[in-house]
Amino acid sequence: MRAYRQHEESLSFARDECVRTVRPAYQGLISQLDTHLGRLFDYMEGAGLMRNTLVVFTSDHGDFLGDHWLGEKELFYDTVQRVPLIVMDPGGAADTTRGQVQQRLVESVDIVPTILRALDMPEAGHRLEGRALQPLLHDAAHEMPWREVAVSELDYSFRQARGMLGKTPQQARAWSVRTDRWRYVYWLDEPEQLFDLRDDPDEFQDLGR
């Protein structure tokens, strides 16, 4: 973490002036996006497209914006990794769960299988690592067995931190396993990290040692 906090963007976000300037601008962009999505959905509703269109709203990452005294979008914190995922399945089978918020763990790799299933196309299980989300969308009782962990991977070989630490590109790797309570991080050739997300949801108390 010390190496990442020496990156230019982290040094910038360590300044209150930067945070006060960038965060309102970022929130303004979110509001602008929300407005344009509203225009799109209004059109789709009027054109009858919402009755037969699978809508998936998500993001590839979050941004620190000064959280943990960091900038940019990497590392294994919920600030970056816990991204929005809103799915509107137009089929009647999803009516029983419509409008619900689910806490079960999903991953970005689940999006492609979900779209393929909506199109009634083969899911090519020998190449796709994710799982279609339709079973969750159609399971009002939340009884279907689902994954217990979400896995993430980081390659920081292109980042300044690698040079600061004197690592080869092959050494600049890390993996995270997150459950509903714990996040465990394995850094190649660095101390492990462990966070109790129930007692420390902001991930400030590293229990890895």
Side-chain angles (χ1 to χ4, degrees), residues 44-152:
M44 293 176 65
E45 191 70 52
L49 296 172
M50 295 298 270
R51 294 193 297 270
N52 61 4
T53 302
L54 176 75
V55 177
V56 180
F57 179 87
T58 188
S59 173
D60 56 343
H61 60 80
D63 274 281
F64 282 111
L65 301 177
D67 293 330
H68 291 271
W69 303 277
L70 294 163
E72 275 291 338
K73 57 190 181 182
E74 295 167 13
L75 304 178
F76 301 112
Y77 292 108
D78 271 3
T79 301
V80 168
Q81 297 221 323
R82 191 173 182 181
V83 298
L85 177 61
I86 303 172
V87 182
M88 197 287 290
D89 181 339
D95 288 346
T96 56
T97 65
R98 205 168 301 286
Q100 290 186 4
V101 176
Q102 296 200 25
Q103 300 299 324
R104 291 187 280 193
L105 294 167
V106 297
E107 299 178 331
S108 297
V109 291
D110 297 331
I111 302 301
V112 170
T114 300
I115 294 172
L116 290 176
R117 183 166 299 187
L119 296 171
D120 291 323
M121 295 180 64
E123 295 176 27
H126 64 292
R127 288 183 301 192
L128 298 178
E129 298 179 36
R131 302 171 62 181
L133 298 174
Q134 278 85 349
L136 298 188
L137 302 173
H138 303 163
D139 177 23
H142 295 213
E143 294 176 348
M144 179 176 201
W146 196 248
R147 67 166 59 90
E148 297 181 358
V149 302
V151 179
S152 305

Side-chain angles (χ1 to χ4, degrees), residues 1 3-4 154-174 186-191:
M1 298 305 106
Y4 262 85
L154 173 64
D155 175 352
Y156 61 100
S157 59
F158 67 103
R159 298 290 267 148
Q160 182 182 353
R162 178 185 70 81
M164 292 179 180
L165 296 170
K167 293 184 178 295
T168 67
Q170 293 75 20
Q171 293 173 310
R173 303 291 296 278
Y186 175 76
W187 293 90
L188 199 58
D189 302 322
E190 294 291 339

